[in-house]
Amino acid sequence: MNYILNVIRRNIPNCITCMNILAGLLSIVCSIQGESSLWGLKGYEWGYIFIGIAAVADFLDGFSARLLHAYSEMGKELDSLSDLVSFGVAPALAVYTCMELNGAEWMKWLALIIPVAGALRLARFNVDTRQTENFIGLPIPANALFWIGYTSIVYSGSTLLSTPWIFVTAVLLESWLMVSPLRLFSLKFKTWGWKGNEFRWILILTAIGLIFCMGVEGLMWLIIVYVAYGIFDGSKK
């Protein structure tokens, strides 16, 4: 009986990780429906929701692994594979469909750069021992949030972000940020006090303000602010 319980305990984080990749796959299926109605919402809106569910599962699998002391090399690799689908491929398909529906026929193909950069970012993260507390390069979930906000603005009717020079710049810059040497702070709290966590608390308050004022569109600005905070914080070290 103890053996069975131990097997179940060790695999709980992996089961949650599988929910992450399942949500990512559902996001892809929904995102390619674009503005078509699906279960009472538009397809791309369900795509955003499933990426959000994947993000929750991504947090919970790590949390449960720490809580249950159920770390494993398999779990680490499974987590990265799931993240590539949910935060690399899924947002890339959302961008591809969004640009296609807005007549950007040649630009839509640039979306394929996003998961390639994401794969490089995850591969490096898995072998880089310097990223235990902070990040080197933009985390791939942050990449997904940026593109949710970006495509949401385009779907709302804004033509500015679908102009070639802005879109090409955004894709290349965002992809570069994932593989760049830029140091960014993580949201992992060792203590809950203000001292030493100033930028973490400021980012959380900024997120609340942006989402309250702008809704999903605020996620793009949130990631821009996160990168700006990281640059400023890193410049002091």
Side-chain angles (χ1 to χ4, degrees):
M1 178 61 72
N2 286 337
Y3 172 78
I4 295 174
L5 292 175
N6 284 332
V7 170
I8 293 174
R9 176 182 61 82
R10 289 197 306 268
N11 283 284
I12 286 175
N14 291 341
C15 290
I16 298 174
T17 304
C18 289
M19 293 174 61
N20 174 354
I21 194 170
L22 178 61
L25 292 169
L26 287 170
S27 175
I28 292 170
V29 171
C30 293
S31 290
I32 60 178
Q33 305 301 316
E35 296 183 288
S36 300
S37 180
L38 187 67
W39 306 321
L41 294 174
K42 293 180 179 179
Y44 72 85
E45 292 174 329
W46 278 112
Y48 298 160
I49 291 170
F50 282 118
I51 289 177
I53 293 172
V56 172
D58 186 47
F59 168 79
L60 290 178
D61 65 4
F63 178 79
S64 63
R66 291 189 295 271
L67 183 66
L68 300 171
H69 302 287
Y71 299 102
S72 70
E73 285 300 313
M74 175 184 167
K76 180 180 178 182
E77 298 302 326
L78 181 62
D79 183 67
S80 290
L81 291 170
S82 299
D83 286 355
L84 179 59
V85 172
S86 298
F87 310 127
V89 179
L93 262 293
V95 173
Y96 180 96
T97 304
C98 179
M99 290 297 113
E100 184 176 50
L101 291 175
N102 282 274
E105 284 297 320
W106 68 269
M107 289 193 297
K108 68 184 182 182
W109 295 104
L110 292 175
L112 302 182
I113 297 173
I114 298 169
V116 173
L120 291 171
R121 190 274 178 292
L122 289 167
R124 188 178 69 176
F125 179 80
N126 281 353
V127 298
D128 193 341
T129 57
R130 298 172 298 168
Q131 300 190 57
T132 54
E133 295 184 3
N134 294 300
F135 299 119
I136 299 177
L138 184 71
I140 194 169
N143 163 75
L145 294 180
F146 176 86
W147 290 114
I148 287 175
Y150 193 102
T151 54
S152 179
I153 293 172
V154 176
Y155 275 124
S156 70
S158 172
T159 58
L160 181 63
L161 295 185
S162 59
T163 55
W165 71 274
I166 289 184
F167 177 69
V168 171
T169 300
V171 170
L172 295 180
L173 182 58
E174 186 74 6
S175 298
W176 175 81
L177 281 171
M178 283 193 281
V179 297
S180 73
L182 178 65
R183 292 184 176 271
L184 296 167
F185 60 87
S186 75
L187 285 177
K188 294 179 181 178
F189 287 83
K190 288 186 176 179
T191 65
W192 296 105
W194 174 262
K195 187 174 177 60
N197 294 313
E198 295 89 346
F199 283 99
R200 292 179 178 88
W201 282 117
I202 291 172
L203 185 66
I204 290 172
L205 293 174
T206 302
I208 294 171
L210 285 172
I211 293 172
F212 179 78
C213 294
M214 303 177 67
V216 176
E217 296 176 9
L219 293 176
M220 184 190 78
W221 296 107
L222 174 63
I223 301 307
I224 292 173
V225 170
Y226 172 52
V227 172
Y229 283 171
I231 292 171
F232 180 75
D233 187 39
S235 69
K236 300 191 300 180
K237 296 179 181 178

